[in-house]
Every structure is written in structure tokens, then in C-alpha cells.
Amino acid sequence: KSWSNDRKMVGLIQLIAQKENIEAGKVDGLWGPQTSFAYNSLQELRKHGAVTVFRRPDEGVDVNPNNWPSQKTEQDLISFYGQVGKNQKSIVVPYPHIISWDKTKSVSKITCHTKVGESLVKVLTKVKDHYGMDEIQRLRLDVWGGCLNVRKMRGGTRNSMHSWGIALDYDPDNNQLKWGSDRATFAQPDYNKWWEFWEEEGWVSLGRTRNYDWMHVQAAKL
């Protein structure tokens, strides 16, 4: 009874979050980071019918059926994949990929490292079977931002995972490097199955693990 109307409103948000099994902390009517997260999650639930699922490197079983190496040292990457730009092959993708920098063109083949090609096709086949082409196009899962590109990491001195052809970017316009889950479309619940298919093969999403560069997925552990 002693709470102000504003505090009662915050308390109500916390109670609703608890009812929806969204962690909001103690129901104290005080607005903090947990309540802010819960409020944003409730908005997402109302809009999309689900809440985005995040995966962190230290959570749960580390699924890695292909034994992808760690990116922590370049020697680990070289030992597994060889030198940058080498051991590449062309693979046929299960559905056409629109080139993000020239959307008037699409490709049916892309170049990637020989060790990731089979896994990549497996993932994209699951995507096609689950979503179908209409949904793939609506969600822009066919807008391709590239794979093999021998270069340094953005703002860094080490080789990018793209240098080995073991990383791919999708829909970079709507999932820019510095965007978090508040702006990146790939953070929305519609894409949860997309990410699950990658993760089943041991691929890592920087968006799902670090909440930036949501366009990017790689066959190297963090």
C-alpha cells in the first residue's frame, strides 16, 4: 500500500514475467537490469509468441560432432584446416543464395573449406525442409554475405575465420556487426530453428553467444 503508482506498475510487470517463466528477480517494484530484460522479453513474447533463446559458450553440453577446433590460437586452426585460403572446394547449396552486395544476382554454388562443406550442406538442407522457400525468402535466409575472404578480423590483427572459408554471413544489412538483439533480425524467435540447425553441427553463432555480429556463423569454437 505504501508503493507509488509507478512502483506498482513495475511490480505488475515483474509478476507477469514470473507467470510467463521469465526471470525478473525479486518482485520489489524497482526497475533494474533484470526487470528491463524481463520487460523486453514480454514485449517479444507478445509480438512473436516466443522469446529469443540465447546460447552462451559455458552453458550446457558443447555439441561438436565434427570436432571443429578452437579459434583461440591460429595454430589450432592451421593444424586442423591448413593455411588460410587453402583446401577450398565449391559446393552446391540446397537453395539459391542471393548475393547481398548485388541482389540482382544469385548463386547455386559457393566456395568453402573442404572440411566444412558436407556439414554446411546438411544444415542448409534442414533449413529448406523446415522453412520452405516462401519462409526462407521472407526471413532473408537466402541473402548471402560471403564465405571465403582472406582478411584480418574487423579492427584486429588476427586472420578472420573467413580466411579459411569456415565462416558465412547472412543478411548483413539487417544484422550488422555492432548490432545487438534489440536491432538484429536474426535475434528474433522466428530464427530459433535456423540457429538450432547450425548448433547441432557444432557451428557457432556470434549473435547467440556474444550478442553481436548476428550475420556470422563459423565452424570454430570460441
PDB file of all heavy atoms in Angstrom, residues 14-27:
ATOM      1  N   GLN A  14       6.842  -7.330 -13.154  1.00  0.00           N
ATOM      2  CA  GLN A  14       7.628  -8.423 -12.568  1.00  0.00           C
ATOM      3  C   GLN A  14       6.759  -9.654 -12.313  1.00  0.00           C
ATOM      4  O   GLN A  14       7.192 -10.790 -12.556  1.00  0.00           O
ATOM      5  CB  GLN A  14       8.289  -7.939 -11.282  1.00  0.00           C
ATOM      6  CG  GLN A  14       9.357  -6.871 -11.512  1.00  0.00           C
ATOM      7  CD  GLN A  14       9.787  -6.167 -10.242  1.00  0.00           C
ATOM      8  OE1 GLN A  14       9.047  -6.131  -9.258  1.00  0.00           O
ATOM      9  NE2 GLN A  14      10.994  -5.597 -10.258  1.00  0.00           N
ATOM     10  N   LEU A  15       5.530  -9.442 -11.840  1.00  0.00           N
ATOM     11  CA  LEU A  15       4.618 -10.562 -11.592  1.00  0.00           C
ATOM     12  C   LEU A  15       4.224 -11.263 -12.886  1.00  0.00           C
ATOM     13  O   LEU A  15       4.187 -12.504 -12.961  1.00  0.00           O
ATOM     14  CB  LEU A  15       3.359 -10.057 -10.879  1.00  0.00           C
ATOM     15  CG  LEU A  15       3.495  -9.746  -9.391  1.00  0.00           C
ATOM     16  CD1 LEU A  15       2.244  -9.036  -8.888  1.00  0.00           C
ATOM     17  CD2 LEU A  15       3.710 -11.036  -8.595  1.00  0.00           C
ATOM     18  N   ILE A  16       3.927 -10.470 -13.913  1.00  0.00           N
ATOM     19  CA  ILE A  16       3.561 -11.057 -15.217  1.00  0.00           C
ATOM     20  C   ILE A  16       4.733 -11.858 -15.780  1.00  0.00           C
ATOM     21  O   ILE A  16       4.548 -12.948 -16.335  1.00  0.00           O
ATOM     22  CB  ILE A  16       3.119  -9.959 -16.200  1.00  0.00           C
ATOM     23  CG1 ILE A  16       1.836  -9.289 -15.718  1.00  0.00           C
ATOM     24  CG2 ILE A  16       2.922 -10.542 -17.600  1.00  0.00           C
ATOM     25  CD1 ILE A  16       1.443  -8.051 -16.514  1.00  0.00           C
ATOM     26  N   ALA A  17       5.947 -11.322 -15.638  1.00  0.00           N
ATOM     27  CA  ALA A  17       7.131 -12.036 -16.119  1.00  0.00           C
ATOM     28  C   ALA A  17       7.274 -13.373 -15.403  1.00  0.00           C
ATOM     29  O   ALA A  17       7.559 -14.399 -16.036  1.00  0.00           O
ATOM     30  CB  ALA A  17       8.381 -11.186 -15.910  1.00  0.00           C
ATOM     31  N   GLN A  18       7.076 -13.385 -14.108  1.00  0.00           N
ATOM     32  CA  GLN A  18       7.149 -14.645 -13.348  1.00  0.00           C
ATOM     33  C   GLN A  18       6.135 -15.653 -13.874  1.00  0.00           C
ATOM     34  O   GLN A  18       6.440 -16.838 -14.029  1.00  0.00           O
ATOM     35  CB  GLN A  18       6.903 -14.385 -11.864  1.00  0.00           C
ATOM     36  CG  GLN A  18       8.087 -13.825 -11.110  1.00  0.00           C
ATOM     37  CD  GLN A  18       7.860 -13.841  -9.609  1.00  0.00           C
ATOM     38  OE1 GLN A  18       6.765 -14.141  -9.123  1.00  0.00           O
ATOM     39  NE2 GLN A  18       8.903 -13.501  -8.862  1.00  0.00           N
ATOM     40  N   LYS A  19       4.931 -15.186 -14.153  1.00  0.00           N
ATOM     41  CA  LYS A  19       3.873 -16.066 -14.667  1.00  0.00           C
ATOM     42  C   LYS A  19       4.273 -16.697 -15.996  1.00  0.00           C
ATOM     43  O   LYS A  19       3.914 -17.844 -16.282  1.00  0.00           O
ATOM     44  CB  LYS A  19       2.580 -15.271 -14.832  1.00  0.00           C
ATOM     45  CG  LYS A  19       1.396 -16.103 -15.322  1.00  0.00           C
ATOM     46  CD  LYS A  19       0.156 -15.244 -15.485  1.00  0.00           C
ATOM     47  CE  LYS A  19      -1.007 -16.065 -16.037  1.00  0.00           C
ATOM     48  NZ  LYS A  19      -2.225 -15.226 -16.246  1.00  0.00           N
ATOM     49  N   GLU A  20       5.045 -15.953 -16.803  1.00  0.00           N
ATOM     50  CA  GLU A  20       5.484 -16.450 -18.111  1.00  0.00           C
ATOM     51  C   GLU A  20       6.836 -17.147 -18.031  1.00  0.00           C
ATOM     52  O   GLU A  20       7.460 -17.425 -19.059  1.00  0.00           O
ATOM     53  CB  GLU A  20       5.565 -15.279 -19.109  1.00  0.00           C
ATOM     54  CG  GLU A  20       4.241 -14.591 -19.376  1.00  0.00           C
ATOM     55  CD  GLU A  20       3.247 -15.472 -20.103  1.00  0.00           C
ATOM     56  OE1 GLU A  20       3.656 -16.539 -20.635  1.00  0.00           O
ATOM     57  OE2 GLU A  20       2.057 -15.108 -20.148  1.00  0.00           O
ATOM     58  N   ASN A  21       7.309 -17.415 -16.802  1.00  0.00           N
ATOM     59  CA  ASN A  21       8.600 -18.101 -16.582  1.00  0.00           C
ATOM     60  C   ASN A  21       9.776 -17.311 -17.155  1.00  0.00           C
ATOM     61  O   ASN A  21      10.734 -17.882 -17.673  1.00  0.00           O
ATOM     62  CB  ASN A  21       8.577 -19.515 -17.174  1.00  0.00           C
ATOM     63  CG  ASN A  21       7.571 -20.417 -16.469  1.00  0.00           C
ATOM     64  OD1 ASN A  21       7.506 -20.435 -15.248  1.00  0.00           O
ATOM     65  ND2 ASN A  21       6.799 -21.152 -17.248  1.00  0.00           N
ATOM     66  N   ILE A  22       9.680 -15.996 -17.066  1.00  0.00           N
ATOM     67  CA  ILE A  22      10.771 -15.110 -17.470  1.00  0.00           C
ATOM     68  C   ILE A  22      11.403 -14.543 -16.209  1.00  0.00           C
ATOM     69  O   ILE A  22      10.709 -13.959 -15.363  1.00  0.00           O
ATOM     70  CB  ILE A  22      10.260 -13.964 -18.364  1.00  0.00           C
ATOM     71  CG1 ILE A  22       9.692 -14.530 -19.684  1.00  0.00           C
ATOM     72  CG2 ILE A  22      11.367 -12.955 -18.651  1.00  0.00           C
ATOM     73  CD1 ILE A  22       8.958 -13.504 -20.523  1.00  0.00           C
ATOM     74  N   GLU A  23      12.697 -14.708 -16.056  1.00  0.00           N
ATOM     75  CA  GLU A  23      13.391 -14.283 -14.840  1.00  0.00           C
ATOM     76  C   GLU A  23      13.367 -12.761 -14.721  1.00  0.00           C
ATOM     77  O   GLU A  23      13.863 -12.041 -15.586  1.00  0.00           O
ATOM     78  CB  GLU A  23      14.844 -14.766 -14.867  1.00  0.00           C
ATOM     79  CG  GLU A  23      15.631 -14.388 -13.625  1.00  0.00           C
ATOM     80  CD  GLU A  23      15.016 -14.902 -12.345  1.00  0.00           C
ATOM     81  OE1 GLU A  23      14.687 -16.111 -12.282  1.00  0.00           O
ATOM     82  OE2 GLU A  23      14.854 -14.096 -11.420  1.00  0.00           O
ATOM     83  N   ALA A  24      12.774 -12.274 -13.639  1.00  0.00           N
ATOM     84  CA  ALA A  24      12.694 -10.833 -13.415  1.00  0.00           C
ATOM     85  C   ALA A  24      13.276 -10.436 -12.069  1.00  0.00           C
ATOM     86  O   ALA A  24      13.246  -9.264 -11.699  1.00  0.00           O
ATOM     87  CB  ALA A  24      11.247 -10.359 -13.500  1.00  0.00           C
ATOM     88  N   GLY A  25      13.772 -11.405 -11.312  1.00  0.00           N
ATOM     89  CA  GLY A  25      14.294 -11.106  -9.989  1.00  0.00           C
ATOM     90  C   GLY A  25      13.175 -10.965  -8.974  1.00  0.00           C
ATOM     91  O   GLY A  25      12.025 -11.352  -9.203  1.00  0.00           O
ATOM     92  N   LYS A  26      13.483 -10.360  -7.854  1.00  0.00           N
ATOM     93  CA  LYS A  26      12.523 -10.169  -6.766  1.00  0.00           C
ATOM     94  C   LYS A  26      11.428  -9.193  -7.192  1.00  0.00           C
ATOM     95  O   LYS A  26      11.682  -8.207  -7.870  1.00  0.00           O
ATOM     96  CB  LYS A  26      13.255  -9.620  -5.539  1.00  0.00           C
ATOM     97  CG  LYS A  26      12.387  -9.416  -4.319  1.00  0.00           C
ATOM     98  CD  LYS A  26      13.221  -8.854  -3.175  1.00  0.00           C
ATOM     99  CE  LYS A  26      12.363  -8.595  -1.945  1.00  0.00           C
ATOM    100  NZ  LYS A  26      13.157  -8.022  -0.831  1.00  0.00           N
ATOM    101  N   VAL A  27      10.185  -9.482  -6.795  1.00  0.00           N
ATOM    102  CA  VAL A  27       9.076  -8.567  -7.063  1.00  0.00           C
ATOM    103  C   VAL A  27       9.137  -7.455  -6.021  1.00  0.00           C
ATOM    104  O   VAL A  27       8.571  -7.544  -4.930  1.00  0.00           O
ATOM    105  CB  VAL A  27       7.717  -9.292  -7.012  1.00  0.00           C
ATOM    106  CG1 VAL A  27       6.580  -8.317  -7.294  1.00  0.00           C
ATOM    107  CG2 VAL A  27       7.684 -10.434  -8.022  1.00  0.00           C
TER     108      VAL A  27
END
